């Protein structure tokens, strides 16, 4: 355990939450992907559960390997104090993206612009446009919850200025 803490630059026990939560989220996403694939191929329950279990482990492994690869590539680009913070940042991105995508449909329905009310050619571009501001707000909020407010505030400023919206942060 001490070797793991040293490798991930964990100095306090509460920081162990991020690697554990990251692995659990990877396992959950692996399971979701395996369910989607498995339900379309197997009608037999025994084979379905075995197939799903194997696929879950495979996708979890792949997700973790991709994240570790990204950590190496982003090490010099993102200025973070410890390696465990990369996990926190990736968790924030995952939660924010999923939540913004999920919230956009009910918001569109509340505005009277549901998929059954308008053409798909209008619905999907409007939904994607709606996701953008939802994502920006959620990114700061979820980043704050996970203790990464400073990183995401700087990230937002940089991203919005590249879109020509940097005036939003001028005082």
């Amino acid at each position: 355990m001490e070797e793991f803490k040293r490798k991930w630059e964990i100095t306090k026990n509460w920081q162990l939450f991020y690697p554990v939560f990251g692995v659990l989220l990877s396992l959950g996403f692996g399971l979701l992907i395996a369910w989607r694939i498995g339900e379309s191929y197997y009608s037999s329950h025994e084979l379905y559960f075995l197939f799903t279990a194997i696929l879950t482990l495979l996708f979890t492994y792949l997700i973790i390997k991709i994240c570790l690869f990204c950590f190496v590539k982003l090490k010099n680009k993102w200025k973070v104090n410890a390696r465990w913070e990369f996990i926190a940042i990736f968790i924030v991105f995952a939660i924010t993206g999923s939540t913004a995508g999920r919230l956009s449909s009910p918001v569109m329905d509340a505005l009277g612009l549901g998929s059954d009310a308008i053409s798909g050619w209008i619905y999907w571009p409007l939904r994607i446009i709606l996701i953008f501001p939802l994502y920006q707000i959620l990114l700061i909020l979820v980043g704050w919850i996970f203790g990464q407010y400073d990183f995401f505030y700087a990230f937002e400023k940089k991203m919005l200025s590249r879109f020509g919206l940097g005036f939003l942060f001028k005082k």
Side-chain angles (χ1 to χ4, degrees):
M1 181 60 101
E2 291 305 317
E3 177 65 21
F4 179 81
K5 285 181 168 183
R6 187 191 58 74
K7 182 178 180 181
W8 285 96
E9 300 169 350
I10 294 173
T11 57
K12 296 179 175 65
N13 285 337
W14 65 267
Q15 296 166 343
L16 285 169
F17 166 78
Y18 293 109
V20 170
F21 193 55
V23 169
L24 290 175
L25 280 178
S26 299
L27 191 62
F29 285 128
L31 181 61
L32 284 174
I33 295 168
W35 269 342
R36 293 291 171 118
I37 292 172
E39 70 186 8
S40 60
Y41 287 109
Y42 287 98
S43 58
S44 167
H45 288 298
E46 296 81 21
L47 286 177
Y48 173 71
F49 287 121
L50 178 63
F51 182 73
T52 302
I54 292 169
L55 274 182
T56 298
L57 294 175
L58 175 70
F59 284 120
T60 301
Y61 176 78
L62 288 174
I63 290 167
I64 291 172
K65 286 303 254 185
I66 290 168
C67 287
L68 291 174
F69 174 77
C70 291
F71 291 168
V72 171
K73 292 295 181 184
L74 295 170
K75 182 179 181 180
N76 295 326
K77 188 172 183 163
W78 290 351
K79 305 298 183 219
V80 295
N81 298 326
R83 293 185 72 197
W84 63 266
E85 289 185 89
F86 278 112
I87 300 170
I89 291 167
F90 272 53
I91 290 170
V92 170
F93 278 126
I95 291 171
T96 302
S98 301
T99 305
R102 287 293 217 182
L103 285 177
S104 63
S105 181
V107 171
M108 290 286 288
D109 289 338
L111 294 172
L113 300 171
S115 60
D116 55 341
I118 58 175
S119 165
W121 291 98
I122 297 170
Y123 174 78
W124 285 105
L126 284 177
R127 186 169 173 188
I128 290 168
I129 290 169
L130 177 66
I131 287 173
F132 182 74
L134 282 174
Y135 182 78
Q136 306 312 310
I137 294 165
L138 287 171
L139 195 59
I140 295 291
L141 180 65
V142 176
W144 175 73
I145 291 169
F146 279 85
Q148 298 299 316
Y149 176 81
D150 293 336
F151 174 84
F152 284 104
Y153 184 76
F155 184 86
E156 283 287 323
K157 279 177 46 174
K158 187 175 181 181
M159 182 173 57
L160 290 176
S161 66
R162 287 183 178 173
F163 284 129
L165 300 171
F167 65 88
L168 295 172
F169 291 97
K170 301 281 187 216
K171 290 185 178 183

